[in-house]
Amino acid sequence: LLNGEPVSMRGFGRHEDFPLVGRAEVGAVLVRDHACLRWVGANSYRTAHYPYSEVDLDLADEHGLLVVSESPCVGLSFADAPAIVQQRQAQATRALAELLARDCCRTCVVAWSVCNEPGGPQSVPTAEAKRQQTEALLELVALARAEGTRLVTFANIPEHCDEANRACDFLSLNEYVGWYYDVGKPLAEIGRQLEAKFVALHADFRKPIMVSECGADTLPGCHMMAPGLWSEEFQAGLLEVYTELERKLPFVFGVHVWNLADFRTPQMHLRAAGLNHKGVFTRLREPKLAAHMLRRAWRP
């Protein structure tokens, strides 16, 4: 609920990135990003995976966008030596406290995300590491909850949900079926698979669910009659699966697509031309086919 009224969170994760300047705050780009958000019919975004500039939040306040403000704590690991784990937790606590102090008076901020994608086999290789992770996450959740006026969550891969998720107000799920796994599976089957997964998680955790990330890399101008990887048709079809689930399942109250726009990444085989191409807009902020599909879904 927002001011006593039901609200569906429809929007994106983003990055502060643009050609030539790279990762930087550029006023004209921020204005264009917010124009893209309004054009597509989005009402919200998550500051993945760090606090965005205060100018960005000024624009969100001005345009009435809802913001999930996220701490810059990504992939917390508990497989290191105890001293390193303690130092990392102290740093995570300090970063979250600074975020709370900076953004607590922002009208646009409706929730705190205390970290992104903790857990996983490599970061919690033992039962003791898993226990330490749960305790550390509970500390961060408690710190955010002490602010007293916003909902609290953290983004996680569904299979890595932690007991600390039970202390959150809602589950934020980063889900990449069809891209990082189950490649080539028909979209209708992906939809049934996701529905079963979300129903099971809701039954277990008894929390509302927001899809905090979903998507597939898409090369602008790549078209296929039968939707396949990298094509604009596949991206649009996959994201339509999520929008339909958000309408169908009453406990799924939002979908944030990853990403608003393509962005620079380290080079690897999955990153064509050194970019993450999961944006529904190109790096120059021009719409792909998926952006038009979302506009139809979000601006009926």
Side-chain angles (χ1 to χ4, degrees):
L1 299 179
L2 179 68
N3 297 329
E5 298 293 332
V7 62
S8 296
M9 301 282 281
R10 296 171 177 173
F12 300 88
R14 297 168 54 211
H15 267 310
E16 294 179 332
D17 170 85
F18 198 70
L20 295 180
V21 297
R23 297 183 181 183
E25 176 191 333
V26 181
V29 177
L30 295 181
V31 170
R32 176 67 174 184
D33 280 355
H34 281 256
C36 290
L37 290 167
R38 295 194 303 278
W39 180 88
V40 81
N43 65 1
S44 55
Y45 62 88
R46 176 169 64 111
T47 67
H49 306 293
Y50 44 84
Y52 290 176
S53 77
E54 295 193 66
V55 175
D56 199 307
L57 297 183
D58 287 341
L59 291 169
D61 280 336
E62 179 181 347
H63 297 136
L65 290 169
L66 310 178
V67 175
V68 179
S69 188
E70 185 164 273
S71 175
C73 302
V74 181
L76 294 174
S77 175
F78 296 84
D80 298 308
I84 295 177
V85 171
Q86 291 174 6
Q87 292 172 5
R88 185 181 295 121
Q89 181 67 7
Q91 183 178 3
T93 301
R94 182 171 60 254
L96 178 58
E98 291 172 352
L99 174 68
L100 297 171
R102 193 196 75 163
D103 291 352
C104 66
C105 294
R106 286 285 184 177
T107 304
C108 60
V109 174
V110 297
W112 307 113
S113 176
V114 303
C115 64
N116 178 70
E117 294 187 0
Q122 294 182 336
S123 61
V124 284
T126 65
E128 175 59 19
K130 182 69 172 175
R131 184 194 65 78
Q132 291 177 356
Q133 174 181 268
T134 299
E135 289 185 358
L137 292 173
L138 286 171
E139 289 177 5
L140 296 177
V141 170
L143 177 59
R145 191 169 300 286
E147 184 271 332
T149 65
R150 272 88 166 187
L151 303 178
V152 180
T153 189
F154 60 86
N156 213 348
I157 297 170
E159 288 73 18
H160 298 167
C161 280
D162 187 273
E163 284 299 302
N165 283 106
R166 301 188 189 280
C168 296
D169 293 298
F170 60 94
L171 298 181
S172 295
L173 303 180
N174 296 352
E175 173 61 65
Y176 287 103
V177 62
W179 179 253
Y180 290 125
Y181 69 98
D182 286 345
V183 175
K185 182 173 286 189
L187 292 174
E189 189 173 342
I190 285 176
R192 291 190 293 270
Q193 178 179 327
L194 285 172
E195 181 175 356
K197 180 184 290 189
F198 292 166
V199 167
L201 284 167
H202 181 254
D204 183 5
F205 286 88
R206 310 306 300 174
K207 302 287 183 181
I209 290 174
M210 184 177 81
V211 180
S212 43
E213 293 182 24
C214 60
D217 281 63
T218 304
L219 295 176
C222 177
H223 294 285
M224 298 182 186
M225 186 175 294
L229 291 187
W230 300 100
S231 72
E232 294 193 30
E233 286 77 11
F234 178 75
Q235 182 189 39
L238 180 65
L239 295 181
E240 190 171 19
V241 168
Y242 288 93
T243 63
E244 290 175 352
L245 283 175
E246 188 258 330
R247 287 192 291 265
K248 180 178 182 180
L249 300 177
F251 54 83
V252 176
F253 71 94
V255 174
H256 277 182
V257 173
W258 187 257
N259 193 283
L260 178 70
D262 297 343
F263 59 92
R264 175 69 66 189
T265 65
Q267 296 185 56
M268 60 183 74
H269 291 97
L270 273 174
R271 305 297 187 220
L275 297 180
N276 186 314
H277 282 96
K278 291 187 183 69
V280 303
F281 291 84
T282 68
R283 202 176 182 211
L284 291 174
R285 277 51 175 184
E286 298 297 344
K288 302 179 189 177
L289 186 64
H292 291 278
M293 183 280 296
L294 291 172
R295 180 178 164 91
R296 290 192 298 272
W298 291 347
R299 299 184 62 175

